[in-house]
Structure formats: structure tokens, C-alpha cells
Amino acid sequence: MPPNGGLALSPSTIAFTDPGQTAAITAGEQAYSGPVSVSATACGSIVTVAPPSSTSSPAQFTVTAQAPGACTLSFTDQFGRTAALAIGVTVTKGTIQ
């Protein structure tokens, strides 16, 4: 039986300013200790996320910026409940030639 409430993410959005930056994400829900997985398909080469799944909630994930762009990671529990994490990568460094 699924727990009451929904899957929550902390933080709920991420804004990177440089490739290589990382952010720690916690995914969980009240009274739930089961697995949580993440789909990075929509993010292509913009970010990577590790691990792809966790066996227990709250779950810890690391997101690493790879290239400029915007995308959404989708986190899912074993009951199919999802939470979306909006991510933006804006490169603010460079040289003018």
C-alpha cells in the first residue's frame, strides 16, 4: 500500500553556472523507505546523475553539470509516484576575442 503524501525533492530546482559543478539531491516521502529511481533521459548531455537508483528512501543522488542547457530529471518510487527536478546550466565564464 502506498504511503500518504508524495515524493519530495530537496532542493526542488538547481541552477548551475559552470560545467563540472555538482549538487546533492535528496528524494523521499513520509512513511516510505522503499526504492527511488531517477530518469535522466530528458537531460541528454546537459547533466549526469548518480546513482541511477537507490534501494531506500530517503535517497541521495549527485547531479553533475556537463553542458549548457535546461532539462528535467524525473524521480519515481516503487508505486509510480513521481517528482520532477528542473535543472538549468548557464555558462557564465569565457573569453571575448
Side-chain angles (χ1 to χ4, degrees):
M1 177 172 219
N4 291 331
L7 193 58
L9 303 175
S10 178
S12 57
T13 62
I14 299 175
F16 292 114
T17 57
D18 211 13
Q21 289 181 319
T22 63
I25 306 300
T26 301
E29 58 190 284
Q30 189 173 3
Y32 176 72
S33 60
V36 176
S37 62
V38 59
S39 173
T41 304
C43 289
S45 63
I46 298 169
V47 298
T48 59
V49 61
S53 64
S54 175
T55 57
S56 63
S57 172
Q60 302 292 318
F61 298 91
T62 300
V63 178
T64 304
Q66 300 294 311
C71 64
T72 301
L73 293 174
S74 179
F75 294 79
T76 307
D77 70 10
Q78 71 182 16
F79 300 105
R81 292 182 174 175
T82 62
L85 177 68
I87 297 175
V89 180
T90 306
V91 177
T92 58
K93 298 176 183 177
T95 59
I96 299 175
Q97 306 236 351

